[in-house]
């Protein structure tokens, strides 16, 4: 595609100049071949995925704005800054000496890392003793999965299924985001410092790594202005949507592979080595599948919508793109399909498989007003003001604030003549509408039925939380903002005026959503009885330790106990997704088969009332303990409502004894079949 095809207002003379440009262009530290540039994407664009593409690459491989010859721009980017030397050359040489592209990149990456540390600072104070102030189950689940990675590496355990919780049924880990691609590389950290430290480290690196990856792709392939790439990367990594997930979901915020997946998808539209490029894409896709499949699906959908929007505007691009793209995607499908075939078989047809999400989350959607409010963990955010605008505080997947939302609309109007901007706008709107869910509402007032109502039952989409489509819109917004900053250099205004307008616009857009430290609260420590290995004389390899209350979605502390020992003991129950009734096929729900004892103790823990149990209830609870092959029941002395819980357990199995900081009931004589 020529510059004229991507910039509707480009004059013919400029197109001719770009058409004769060199087939390669120096990009700071290396030379990029024209064969690595996609067709039909207008700039070296990177398509939207949980993110989106952006910029304009001519056939020559040079980035052009339609007003300057490609050769001039290539020269201007030799020093990575786009600036030309001054008359005497001394100040320019001094700047290049003091502020090389490599040093600038390191400074930017360091800034992103410091921002991530600032955001997670409240949990870094005490990783094992601090947790998100609203929901504590998700971090406990992630820490359990990190401990599972240790067992995979050290003990060769099966990676895709475990019986270490929800014993004896077990849990299908491929269907529960076991984050093996994050947990396995972090095994040394988990062994040395524990899964709680690994959790906060992954959150920190996920935020900083995502921002850095987008900065790299934007600066090399999309925009020429360093500030544009910095702002675009920063917003991709620290948007309100990313911040809302940071306290709970490191698998969702670890999006550092996505910009490279998006870029490789665009590259294959004109690849001269489609089989090689397809293989590279397959490796990226396979790795991302073991981080988070939902985000990978979003990426594929976003790339597809973006490319369709490009082709719809310029049908001629399809004739040049379909052959290399078909070869590359075919190669990617064969390789990635081979690598993922067995894990996906376990996920969809293995033990404890399910199809479709729990009704508790299937209808999650954004309120339209959520796009105009600042996110809770931001400078201008207010948790109380955001009530009913999102399903909960861990799913604030929009929340741009009024100023940024209006500025983005203005950017689209301003740059509407560019094919790239129009395609990005279509992508952003498409996924913003899907993120509204099955019922579209304004300030919690239902308006109409949303299009998601007709898509929610489709294969794969039935396992998607619709509000998270807003993550795609967030990245598209970041790319549009980067493009706008880059295009300001073309304004027919004095440079001081342009700088003033740019800074003012950025302050207006980004100050209200400036990230703030994630709010944390204290959580109960792992009992010394567990950390001191005092449980080991009681619990055999095929027996379970039963935390009181029994682990569930609302109380996952027992999962943290097991994770602290690298899952050396099994537990019943837990927080996970599993089929409702049969072993496979039906929609998922949170938790395993219903437990009478679990429900009884959960009610006592929440109300503080001690029930009077009859013989039938005792027999049912004892049957469950036998099914779990329970060795001991453990109740922390400082557990909330510990005394009512102790009295209830004593009605079931008799008196216990205090050992260190817990009450212990040895029930082996009651549960051993040979006794």
């Amino acid at each position: 595609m020529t510059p004229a095809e991507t910039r509707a207002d480009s004059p013919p003379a400029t197109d001719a100049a770009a058409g004769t440009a060199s087939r390669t262009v120096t990009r700071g530290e290396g030379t990029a071949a024209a064969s690595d540039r996609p067709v039909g994407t207008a700039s070296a664009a990177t398509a939207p995925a949980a993110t989106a593409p952006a910029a304009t690459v001519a056939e020559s491989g040079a980035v052009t704005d339609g007003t300057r010859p490609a050769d001039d721009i290539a020269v201007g980017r030799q020093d990575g800054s786009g600036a030309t030397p001054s008359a005497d050359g001394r100040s320019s040489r001094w700047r290049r000496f003091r502020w090389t592209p490599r040093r600038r990149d390191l400074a930017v990456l360091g800034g992103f890392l410091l921002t991530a540390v600032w955001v997670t600072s409240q949990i870094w104070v005490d990783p094992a003793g601090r947790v998100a102030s609203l929901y504590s189950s998700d971090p406990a689940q992630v820490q359990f999965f990190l401990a599972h990675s240790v067992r995979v590496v050290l003990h060769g355990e099966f990676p895709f299924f475990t019986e270490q919780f929800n014993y004896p049924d077990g849990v299908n880990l491929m269907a529960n985001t076991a984050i093996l691609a994050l947990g396995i590389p972090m095994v040394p950290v988990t062994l040395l410092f524990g899964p709680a430290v690994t959790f906060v480290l992954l959150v920190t690196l996920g935020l900083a790594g995502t921002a850095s990856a987008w900065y790299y792709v934007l600066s090399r392939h999309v925009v020429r202005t360093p500030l544009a790439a910095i702002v675009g990367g920063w917003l991709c990594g620290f948007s309100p949507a990313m911040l809302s997930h940071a306290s709970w979901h490191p698998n969702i915020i670890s999006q550092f592979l996505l910009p490279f997946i998006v870029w490789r998808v665009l590259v294959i539209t004109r690849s001269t080595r489609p089989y090689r490029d397809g293989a590279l894409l397959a490796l990226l896709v396979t790795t991302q599948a073991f981080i988070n499949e939902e985000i990978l699906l979003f990426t594929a959908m976003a790339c597809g919508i973006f490319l369709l929007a490009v082709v719809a505007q310029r049908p001629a691009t399809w004739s040049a793109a379909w052959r290399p793209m078909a070869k590359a995607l075919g190669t990617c499908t064969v390789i990635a399909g081979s690598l993922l075939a067995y894990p996906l078989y376990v996920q969809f047809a293995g033990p404890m498989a399910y199809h479709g999400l729990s009704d508790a989350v299937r209808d999650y959607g954004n309120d339209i007003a959520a796009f105009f409010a600042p996110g809770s963990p931001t400078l201008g955010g207010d948790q109380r003001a955001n009530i009913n605008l999102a399903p909960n505080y861990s799913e604030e997947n929009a929340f741009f604030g009024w100023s940024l939302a209006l500025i983005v609309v203005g950017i689209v109007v301003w740059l509407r003549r560019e094919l790239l901007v129009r395609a990005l706008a279509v992508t952003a709107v498409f996924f913003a509408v899907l993120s509204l869910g099955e019922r579209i509402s304004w300030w919690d007032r239902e308006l109409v039925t949303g299009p998601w109502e007709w898509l929610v039952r489709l294969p794969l989409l039935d396992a998607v939380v619709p509000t998270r489509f807003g993550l795609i819109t967030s990245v598209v917004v970041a790319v549009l903002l980067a493009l706008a900053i880059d295009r300001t250099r073309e304004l027919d205004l004095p440079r001081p005026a342009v700088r003033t307008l740019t800074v003012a616009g950025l302050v207006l857009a980004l100050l209200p959503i400036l990230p703030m430290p994630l709010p944390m609260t204290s959580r109960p420590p792992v009992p010394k009885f567990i950390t001191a290995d005092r449980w080991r004389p009681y619990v055999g390899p095929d027996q379970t330790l039963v935390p009181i209350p029994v682990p569930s979605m609302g109380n996952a502390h027992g999962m943290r106990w097991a994770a602290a020992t690298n899952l050396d003991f099994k537990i019943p129950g837990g927080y996970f997704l599993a089929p409702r009734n049969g072993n496979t096929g039906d929609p998922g729900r949170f938790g395993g088969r219903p437990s009478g004892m679990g429900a009884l103790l959960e009610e006592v823990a929440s109300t503080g009332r001690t029930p009077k149990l009859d013989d039938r209830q005792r027999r049912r609870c004892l049957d469950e303990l036998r099914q779990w092959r329970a060795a001991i029941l453990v109740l922390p002395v400082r557990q909330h409502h510990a005394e009512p819980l102790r009295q209830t357990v004593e009605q079931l199995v008799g008196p216990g004894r205090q050992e260190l900081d817990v009450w212990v009931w040895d029930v082996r004589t009651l549960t051993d079949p040979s006794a």
Side-chain angles (χ1 to χ4, degrees), residues 253-274:
I253 65 172
S254 295
Q255 299 180 15
F256 40 78
L257 291 183
L258 302 191
F260 299 103
I261 292 175
V262 169
W263 177 240
R264 298 316 299 179
V265 168
L266 298 181
V267 162
I268 65 176
T269 62
R270 261 216 186 151
S271 174
T272 58
R273 291 176 286 184

Side-chain angles (χ1 to χ4, degrees), residues 11 78 91 132 407 546 564 567:
Q78 297 276 338
S91 61
I407 286 172
V546 182
L567 311 190

